Amino acid sequence: MKTQTTNILEVTGTVLNIQRYCSHDGPGTRTNVFIKGCSLRCKWCGNPESIRLKPEVSYDPQKCDGKKCSICLKAPFPEGGFYFAEGDDSKVKVNWQLASRVSSEIASLCPTGALEMFGKTMNVGEVLDEVEKDSSIYRNTGGGMTISGGEVMLQPDFAAALLEEAHNRGINTAVETACNAPWSFLEKVLPHVDTMLHDLKLMNSERHKKWTGVGNERILANFKKAYETFPDIDFIARTPLIPGVNADEEHIRAVLEFIKPHKNVIDYELLPYHRFGLGKYESLGVVYELDDYKTPSDEVVKRFQVMIDEAFGRNK
Ligand code: SF4
């Protein structure tokens, strides 16, 4: 007969990667477990490989041997998924619609690593065994495990089981979420959370829809309900700060007005926009739409930080 603990260990989900020694996603030094699947389409997304729920193939032309190899032009690769452009057989081109059928077994036939998979199925036991390797670091720094995405709430059973098992092993837990999911999903996950980092990207619903693909009504309602239903969670609000999108006083004030009545929202962090994820767009055959947008200046970030510190009574 299986015990309840055994059942938790066997719950599976799609993991993008596990990153050790992280210091920005919750208290202390942490291990971040990135899981796949997102219900937003933020135009600035730095992790496009986390958007789809299932594992997917990526292609790095720098590593491709072209005609010398040609393995992906034959079965078991999907017919027409990979081909040479006329007059150039130095690198393959990709028909992304057909290439999406490539499994991890098939991708592994590429001898140079030009074809790789983003994401793999793992169970809770496998993930926690990896996370637990740094238990002594968590104890010394007050750290633990953070589940990030993608959107954590889109794999609610897996996320809840990961967090519950982390608590079973004495590991502090955090999630990084935008909460664009049904409340019934959040209800499964939040009882096992110590810290919730949550994005307030845009407070105006129409603008939120323009930049992320969906309005923010459900998201804001979920945040409010979470603050009220789970008083013991430390909530930390965050804004990815992008000039021309939300790097303005109006947005910062609106966020502060939203969070300040709730005493368990313990901080508000700014995440200045960066362009680190751009190479990944090409390797997935996706167009990056925010080409002309810049990182906010230090001066702008400092000005907003002063507003936040004042609101949290830190400017005395
Ligand atoms: S199998 Fe890999 S290295 Fe060979 S042609 Fe295809 S992508 Fe290039």
Side-chain angles (χ1 to χ4, degrees), residues 59 63-66 69-72 77 92 109-112 114-115:
Y59 169 59
K63 294 184 185 165
C64 176
D65 271 352
C69 168
S70 301
I71 285 176
C72 58
F77 285 87
V92 295
L109 299 174
C110 169
T112 66
L115 299 178

Side-chain angles (χ1 to χ4, degrees), residues 2 16 75 100 102 118 135 157 194 220 237 277 290 306:
K2 286 174 187 167
L16 184 61
S100 65
V102 171
F118 281 134
S135 285
D157 295 317
D194 297 315
L220 297 183
L290 228 61
V306 169

